[in-house]
Amino acid sequence: MCGIIGIVGTAPVQGRLIESLKRLEYRGYDSAGIAGLAGGQVMRRRAAGKIRALEAVLEDDPLDATVGIGHTRWATHGAPTLANAHPHTQGRVTLAHNGIIENYAEIRERLAAGGRRFESDTDTEVIAALLDSELAAGKAPLAALKATLDQLSGAYALAVLVEGEADLILGARRGSPLVVGYGEGEMFLGSDALAVGPFTHRVCYLEEGDYVAIDRRSARIFDAAGRPAKRAVRVVPASAALVEKGNYRHFMEKEIHDQPEGCQRTIAAYVDPLTAKAAIPGGIDFAALQRIQIVACGTSYIAGMLGKYLIERLADLAVDVEIASEFRYREPSLSAGSLVIAMSQSGETADTLAALRYCQAKGMASAAVVNAAESTMAREVDVVWPIHCGPEIGVASTKAFTAQICVLTAIAVAAARARGRIDAAEEQRLVRVLLEAPRLIAESIELEAAVRGVALEVARARDVLYLGRGPMYPLSLEGALKLKEISYIHAEGYAAGELKHGPIALVDEATPIVILAPFDSYFEKSASNMSEVMARGGQVVFITDPDGQAHAPQGARVVVTAPRCDPLIAPLVYAPPIQLLAYHVAVQKGADVDQPRNLAKSVTVE
Ligand code: G6P
């Protein structure tokens, strides 16, 4: 969840560490810090809060060094205070850590009993203390690192400075990602390729359990057993332009607007527009599959639910979808001949990764629908289905969600055809419908002005209900999740059919009820629910299409009219209005849209 950067450079590193930390801020922003080596001595600058607080510290007290590490924190152990900000120093060792050390309490107790004093409440500081003790016992830095790692259980990515070692940064990873960047006479460590992107595009992804020593010219990599290891160096394309906000106020706003183009890229990778056939790379035989198990968290889980609706209806192929954190500990019964699909924007979410590995250990074939094509999940599965929507920086997922749905829709069509549920003509029709999605998403985004008007009212609410049937039910969950995440208004998504089993008790004049109801086979029932709500004084925001508007009962407080579309792509077309609603409510309330409190973009701890 935290972000790490390390530079063994020839030029001053302060500005570059900060530049990199800003790119990593999506991983956490509770505190930030940098440390550098100058004349063999370590200097540290840290601040509670976001990176701009650290910048203010550096204005008064710059750090003059050509070798340094940096960290942006998402607090797990210990409050987000200055004392708990990384890097942490013990004796000769200063380090930044991403992950959780599970046995830190016993290590700390043991070292404290031996006279070691700790400055922070973090689990991280014990790593520095252990490593310092190993160095003090006379071990060379790499041997001391190995001896330290052998005593840790838990997850870590580390960047380490050692006093007296002017041309060295040590690194290690287990459970948390770490890349080595190869520059010209300079070397880098970072949580991801984005972190080192401004300095080099040549990166190597360390494997689980690897540790490394970098100097200005080289990286010496070792595997978990301590054997020298060779890891491929790849060129990761320049993505700098993709991580700028452009003319938008927030990344989330930009990413909502990116969706037509993003989905276009995604769809292009999964259908052939010329033949109008779905073409799913990876050679999975959908005809032979007995079940699909989707595991995911957060918005990716909701995309997975939509996948279930799409794949079961079109392809008559059973799909189970489960929240990864529940799945991994539930000892689920899994059938052989099933495929597990991990859905994850980052490809690093700890629970999803664990659930995926659980299924793999049971012998299931595996696939990952991910945005980060070089992520841990992508590297560990049999088949990778990248979503191609470009880096997503806003903590609340938007364009990754619609891109995930595009992939799942193409899979549903391909599976339906492979299983003989649709003929070639129907496949072509459905593919052509999917190819219309980017245009209709763009039209749907044009509802922004209307949605902004609704947002003024919703921003005053304490609670908001979202209702939908069929694929609009998962979408109602997503609408509620988006609103909660960024505007801090309590919101619930419900299957509209469940209204009478509980949520109707919440209906009063002060609770806006957003009903998602395209004019489809569910429409009449959704319209009845709308009447039930209005009869009890509920203020309905009705999101429908022109036909739905014509047939809706009178009395909705607001009607937002989305473009007409085939039911196949309704989740894609109805996603922008609910995203924009959450966005404009958050802006209205002055909330920090891209970095909502307590959240992080990539959750690499349980
Ligand atoms: C965090 C993010 C969400 C995201 C979820 C799953 O909670 O804030 O936006 O949906 O993690 O992340 P993943 O990278 O696995 O899709």
Side-chain angles (χ1 to χ4, degrees):
M1 312 281 290
C2 309
I4 291 179
I5 176 71
I7 305 176
V8 186
T10 48
V13 286
Q14 174 179 308
R16 294 190 288 168
L17 290 173
I18 294 294
E19 182 180 2
S20 183
L21 288 182
K22 283 184 179 163
R23 289 178 157 230
L24 287 168
E25 211 172 9
Y26 75 92
R27 300 178 73 89
Y29 32 81
D30 288 327
S31 65
I34 62 174
L37 267 174
Q41 295 296 305
V42 171
M43 297 173 302
R44 268 195 303 173
R45 306 285 184 270
R46 301 179 296 167
K50 296 190 178 177
I51 289 163
R52 57 178 175 266
L54 175 63
E55 284 182 294
V57 170
L58 290 166
E59 262 170 40
D60 295 337
D61 194 7
L63 186 139
D64 180 18
T66 56
V67 177
I69 59 176
H71 185 271
T72 178
R73 177 166 189 246
W74 187 82
T76 57
H77 291 59
T81 58
L82 178 62
N84 289 329
H86 299 219
H88 287 287
T89 299
Q90 281 280 338
R92 289 175 64 202
V93 175
T94 297
L95 60 78
H97 167 220
N98 170 29
I100 288 178
I101 302 305
E102 285 160 13
N103 59 342
Y104 86 101
E106 63 194 68
I107 298 175
R108 186 172 165 130
E109 215 169 281
R110 171 160 59 82
L111 294 176
R116 175 82 59 174
R117 296 182 52 158
F118 291 88
E119 285 177 359
S120 76
D121 303 315
T122 64
D123 53 336
T124 300
E125 206 182 350
V126 303
I127 313 174
L130 272 180
L131 183 50
D132 182 55
S133 303
E134 296 293 346
L135 290 167
K139 291 198 176 79
L142 266 169
L145 177 63
K146 171 80 172 76
T148 300
L149 300 178
D150 287 345
Q151 297 172 65
L152 302 178
S153 64
Y156 50 78
L158 300 171
V160 187
L161 297 175
V162 179
E163 215 163 72
E165 298 283 345
D167 184 21
L168 176 75
I169 294 181
L170 299 172
R173 72 150 288 189
R174 183 181 292 283
S176 304
L178 194 66
V179 306
V180 178
Y182 292 75
E184 296 297 326
E186 297 191 313
M187 295 287 290
F188 309 90
L189 281 182
S191 292
D192 56 25
L194 209 59
V196 300
F199 324 124
T200 180
H201 297 141
R202 292 176 62 228
V203 302
C204 144
Y205 293 87
L206 295 181
E207 307 257 311
E208 216 36 3
D210 280 357
Y211 61 101
V212 61
I214 62 169
D215 56 31
R216 288 188 175 80
R217 286 156 306 280
S218 66
R220 281 171 292 154
I221 302 173
F222 300 84
D223 67 16
R227 292 177 297 241
K230 276 210 180 325
R231 305 284 179 233
V233 179
R234 314 158 187 241
V235 175
V236 175
S239 51
L242 293 171
V243 293
E244 298 299 329
K245 264 192 283 228
N247 293 328
Y248 296 101
R249 275 175 69 186
H250 300 99
F251 278 110
M252 181 179 178
E253 184 188 20
K254 173 180 183 287
E255 286 158 4
I256 291 171
H257 285 260
D258 276 351
Q259 289 177 112
E261 204 204 343
C263 288
Q264 218 165 343
R265 272 201 304 274
T266 315
I267 295 166
Y270 294 91
V271 306
D272 178 349
L274 294 176
T275 58
K277 287 185 169 184
I280 311 299
I284 298 285
D285 182 358
F286 290 104
L289 276 187
Q290 283 167 16
R291 294 186 90 80
I292 291 178
Q293 173 69 59
I294 298 179
V295 290
C297 301
T299 290
S300 294
Y301 164 72
I302 294 171
M305 280 178 82
L306 281 160
K308 177 180 172 72
Y309 278 82
L310 287 160
I311 296 168
E312 290 199 341
R313 187 170 64 80
L314 274 179
D316 191 16
L317 169 57
V319 180
D320 300 309
V321 190
E322 192 160 343
I323 293 166
S325 55
E326 284 300 311
F327 178 88
R328 61 181 290 194
Y329 292 117
R330 191 170 64 75
E331 297 183 22
S333 141
L334 300 171
S335 21
S338 303
L339 169 74
V340 58
I341 304 180
M343 305 277 312
S344 176
Q345 188 283 131
S346 62
E348 301 291 351
T349 300
D351 284 316
T352 308
L353 184 58
L356 169 68
R357 287 173 176 165
Y358 180 91
C359 292
Q360 288 172 323
K362 299 274 175 194
M364 288 168 71
S366 60
V369 177
V370 291
N371 195 23
E374 303 283 352
S375 57
T376 306
M377 282 179 217
R379 281 179 286 120
E380 293 193 5
V381 286
D382 302 323
V383 178
V384 187
W385 289 321
I387 62 174
H388 299 293
C389 68
E392 188 181 65
I393 304 297
V395 164
S397 183
T398 51
K399 67 175 180 175
F401 176 64
T402 44
Q404 287 169 332
I405 299 169
C406 289
V407 176
L408 291 167
T409 308
I411 288 174
V413 174
R417 180 81 178 109
R419 297 167 74 83
R421 301 287 151 177
I422 57 171
D423 60 15
E426 179 63 356
E427 179 185 18
Q428 286 191 332
R429 187 188 75 78
L430 293 171
V431 167
R432 290 197 179 113
V433 166
L434 184 55
L435 286 163
E436 287 173 359
R439 174 178 56 80
L440 291 167
I441 293 170
E443 278 183 33
S444 187
I445 292 171
E446 283 167 21
L447 298 169
E448 183 156 14
V451 172
R452 199 183 294 124
V454 184
L456 293 177
E457 295 198 19
V458 172
R460 289 197 290 269
R462 205 190 57 181
D463 309 285
V464 181
L465 265 180
Y466 287 73
L467 301 176
R469 285 173 184 263
M472 292 297 121
Y473 163 49
L475 213 58
S476 73
L477 296 178
E478 176 61 4
L481 178 60
K482 285 284 90 76
L483 192 71
K484 271 188 276 221
E485 278 182 305
I486 60 169
S487 75
Y488 317 139
I489 293 177
H490 169 246
E492 298 280 353
Y494 256 97
E498 278 288 291
L499 181 68
K500 293 194 256 317
H501 300 287
I504 200 161
L506 296 176
V507 171
D508 62 17
E509 281 90 18
T511 310
I513 294 138
V514 180
I515 302 182
L516 300 164
F519 193 66
D520 57 12
S521 56
Y522 302 98
F523 181 80
E524 264 181 37
K525 295 205 163 40
S526 301
S528 305
N529 296 135
M530 176 174 164
S531 302
E532 289 158 8
V533 164
M534 288 189 308
R536 286 156 181 86
Q539 306 296 312
V540 171
V541 175
F542 198 51
I543 306 187
T544 184
D545 54 26
D547 300 320
Q549 186 174 6
H551 290 87
Q554 294 302 302
R557 177 113 182 117
V558 199
V559 179
V560 175
T561 313
R564 262 188 204 97
C565 66
D566 188 282
L568 180 76
I569 56 168
L572 294 167
V573 175
Y574 282 70
I578 57 163
Q579 297 165 340
L580 287 165
L581 180 57
Y583 173 75
H584 285 291
V585 171
V587 169
Q588 188 65 28
K589 295 190 76 182
D592 190 342
V593 172
D594 284 332
Q595 296 179 335
R597 70 184 179 207
N598 304 337
L599 297 178
K601 182 73 183 154
S602 178
V603 180
T604 54
V605 292
E606 280 184 50

